[in-house]
Amino acid sequence: MSDISFPPPYTPLARLHEAVRTRGFAVLSPADVAALAGVDEGAFDALLPSWNHLEPDGYLRDGGRYRRRRHSSFIVENDALALQPHRAHWQPVEYNALHGGMQRWFEPIEEATLAQSVWSKLLLALASACSALAANPPHWHVEAHQFRIDTADGIGRPTPEGAHRDGVDFVAVLLVGRVDIIGGETRVFDVAGPDGQRFTLDAPWSLLFMEDARVIHESTPIRPRQGAASGHRDTLVVTYRASGFLGSD
């Protein structure tokens, strides 16, 4: 694992929809993510403390202890975000060969996090982007996942299931922070062909936005930077599905 990385292929906000229609994905800079949500740069930092309160993921089938997370579900309808009763996260094995087919109950995202105005502004802005690309469905079923991948045991795997789709309509992956690590390269591939791109999200609150049916994605393992005892990579993953929550239809 080397420290060589490729810069993110940022798309201007004005070309977000065009890029997704053309390639199946787009990458936005932190400034454009803030503009998309209608907030000042730095406003998302109000959410940062919550990543220090994530709970261990007890479902890792590779026996690892490197992942902490929280998970909550919402419905977006009529430009409003509504928290749903806490539910298990479920994926079919067709989309997640390692962890699919089982009910995974994670601790919910903390109320103090959900109460931050930037939380709802971000999720609603992403929903609007989804609607612009999907002929305005009546509502979106949204799942939000906070992740911390650490290197306390030497290596951490952001996507232990490998390259995958999520079984939803759209996926938003926001880098929250990188501390004393190397690796964690993002790779996005055309699901129907050989084309792909690799890059490293390194700026806090940069965004990878994908149309799930058209691309598969993964992030490579991380390890501590030389001289560091440990490190971590924090992300926020938000998925949007029009037809219902996975496992309920």
Side-chain angles (χ1 to χ4, degrees):
M1 188 186 303
S2 72
D3 201 11
I4 299 172
S5 62
F6 299 96
Y10 289 136
T11 295
L13 179 57
R15 296 182 57 199
L16 170 63
H17 300 149
E18 175 191 348
V20 176
R21 290 189 179 106
T22 301
R23 299 184 298 171
F25 75 97
V27 184
L28 294 185
S29 69
D32 279 341
V33 176
L36 178 70
V39 301
D40 295 332
E41 282 193 71
F44 297 126
D45 288 352
L47 305 174
L48 289 177
S50 61
W51 266 264
N52 293 322
H53 305 152
L54 305 187
E55 296 294 330
D57 182 340
Y59 294 95
L60 290 170
R61 283 181 165 166
D62 64 0
R65 299 178 297 175
Y66 50 81
R67 185 157 76 180
R68 291 176 173 269
R69 68 192 294 178
R70 287 182 182 270
H71 164 255
S72 290
S73 301
F74 309 83
I75 286 180
V76 171
E77 188 172 17
N78 297 324
D79 296 321
L81 181 71
L83 178 66
Q84 299 302 292
H86 193 50
R87 59 186 294 116
H89 178 52
W90 184 87
Q91 293 175 295
V93 294
E94 291 84 358
Y95 295 109
N96 190 328
L98 185 61
H99 298 119
M102 62 177 174
Q103 300 279 330
R104 289 183 286 167
W105 288 92
F106 301 110
E107 289 298 311
I109 296 174
E110 293 177 308
E111 292 182 5
T113 304
L114 304 183
Q116 295 286 343
S117 63
V118 293
W119 178 266
S120 58
K121 288 179 180 179
L122 175 60
L123 269 61
L124 287 171
L126 292 170
S128 293
C130 296
S131 294
L133 290 160
N136 290 305
H139 44 250
W140 289 107
H141 298 80
V142 183
E143 295 190 57
H145 308 257
Q146 292 179 291
F147 290 99
R148 170 165 289 180
I149 309 299
D150 70 49
T151 60
D153 289 338
I155 193 168
R157 295 178 173 85
T159 54
E161 65 272 33
H164 65 283
R165 291 167 53 207
D166 287 313
V168 296
D169 293 311
F170 296 95
V171 180
V173 180
L174 293 114
L175 179 78
V176 175
R178 293 170 55 98
V179 176
D180 289 335
I181 61 168
I182 63 171
E185 179 181 80
T186 296
R187 297 176 178 178
V188 185
F189 309 94
D190 185 338
V191 74
D195 294 340
Q197 193 154 12
R198 51 188 290 210
F199 53 89
T200 301
L201 291 174
D202 55 4
W205 303 110
S206 51
L207 165 69
L208 168 63
F209 184 79
M210 298 172 282
E211 186 175 356
D212 190 59
R214 296 185 47 203
V215 296
I216 57 177
H217 62 281
E218 67 176 340
S219 295
T220 62
I222 61 174
R223 65 176 173 83
R225 188 175 298 279
Q226 185 173 2
S230 183
H232 62 262
R233 179 179 185 263
D234 293 346
T235 55
L236 173 64
V237 177
V238 190
T239 64
Y240 292 79
R241 191 168 188 260
S243 60
F245 292 109
L246 279 170
S248 64
D249 56 352

